[in-house]
Amino acid sequence: NHQHPTRRLSTHKQYTSREPQTTTMVDSTPLIPDGKEKKEGHRVLCCCDSRKAVIILNVLALALTIASLIIRLVDNQYFATWTIILYVLYLFFYSIVAWGALQFGKLAVEWGIFWSIVDMIWTSVYLARNSGWMVEGSLNRTATIVGYSIFYVFHVLIIYANWTYVSEVGKGIMSRETHSREKYSCCCNV
């Protein structure tokens, strides 16, 4: 019963050489990232990645819009048709933008940028046409100025986050495939 010499070397019982055995493994799968890739995307206000910022800011805006609507309903304030339409538009756009970012979509967030700019222009025109009531010594003048200042700052933050996200999606930095590399949060990394 004669065995081939290479077979004799491959079995442990018949291997008698004192040199160490080496095994070379060949893997045909593509390279898998080791998770040490550097983040390429922007950190919005040094706080979180652009996708998370879009979702958080638009959900916050949605919650504030709902709260404002509830306050106006509780106070039995008069609602003109344009006010109802405006609230519906707010609810629609903030919801669509947050959903779009959750789905790694770009178009919905672009529409959110458009809506925020239109809303700021619309509000500015309204304030310019109706500024007399603020100058005439209204009791709520300071509160009104502070309220509109917060409105503008918040909208600028939303535009900034949305623009950053759209830019990163367009460049391929933020996507489903790269999200694990790009996700960032100063307080929670979900």
Side-chain angles (χ1 to χ4, degrees), residues 3 12 39 82 84 92 102 110 114 119 141 181 183 187 189:
Q3 288 188 346
H12 291 290
K39 178 176 172 45
W82 68 269
I84 295 169
F92 174 76
L102 277 170
E110 288 172 332
F114 172 75
D119 188 29
R141 181 173 181 228
R181 177 191 73 209
K183 69 180 179 178
C187 59
N189 213 1

Side-chain angles (χ1 to χ4, degrees), residues 120-134 152:
M120 288 175 68
I121 292 169
W122 188 344
T123 302
S124 298
V125 169
Y126 171 78
L127 290 173
R129 293 184 71 196
N130 298 302
S131 63
W133 59 269
M134 285 197 301
Y152 282 109

Side-chain angles (χ1 to χ4, degrees), residues 23-42:
T23 307
T24 304
M25 295 180 62
V26 178
D27 189 2
S28 63
T29 60
L31 295 176
I32 299 171
D34 61 0
K36 296 179 183 175
E37 292 181 64
K38 188 173 179 179
K39 178 176 172 45
E40 294 177 27
H42 189 71

Side-chain angles (χ1 to χ4, degrees), residues 92-148:
F92 174 76
F93 277 105
Y94 293 140
S95 300
I96 292 299
V97 171
W99 175 82
L102 277 170
Q103 301 300 316
F104 294 91
K106 183 177 168 185
L107 184 62
V109 181
E110 288 172 332
W111 275 102
I113 294 169
F114 172 75
W115 167 248
S116 291
I117 291 170
V118 166
D119 188 29
M120 288 175 68
I121 292 169
W122 188 344
T123 302
S124 298
V125 169
Y126 171 78
L127 290 173
R129 293 184 71 196
N130 298 302
S131 63
W133 59 269
M134 285 197 301
V135 177
E136 295 171 4
S138 171
L139 294 174
N140 294 327
R141 181 173 181 228
T142 303
T144 302
I145 292 171
V146 168
Y148 279 109

Side-chain angles (χ1 to χ4, degrees), residues 65 81-91 115 119 122:
T65 302
T81 305
W82 68 269
T83 306
I84 295 169
I85 292 170
L86 191 61
Y87 271 104
V88 168
L89 286 173
Y90 278 131
L91 296 172
W115 167 248
D119 188 29
W122 188 344

Side-chain angles (χ1 to χ4, degrees), residues 11-76:
T11 63
H12 291 290
K13 292 178 185 176
Q14 295 177 353
Y15 186 76
T16 57
S17 172
R18 296 213 181 256
E19 294 178 25
Q21 254 185 332
T22 59
T23 307
T24 304
M25 295 180 62
V26 178
D27 189 2
S28 63
T29 60
L31 295 176
I32 299 171
D34 61 0
K36 296 179 183 175
E37 292 181 64
K38 188 173 179 179
K39 178 176 172 45
E40 294 177 27
H42 189 71
R43 292 180 183 165
V44 177
L45 299 176
C46 300
C47 181
C48 54
D49 62 80
S50 63
R51 178 176 176 256
K52 195 172 294 172
V54 168
I55 294 167
I56 290 170
L57 288 174
N58 281 279
V59 168
L60 180 61
L62 184 63
L64 291 173
T65 302
I66 292 170
S68 172
L69 181 60
I70 291 170
I71 289 168
R72 290 187 80 169
L73 288 172
V74 168
D75 287 345
N76 290 323

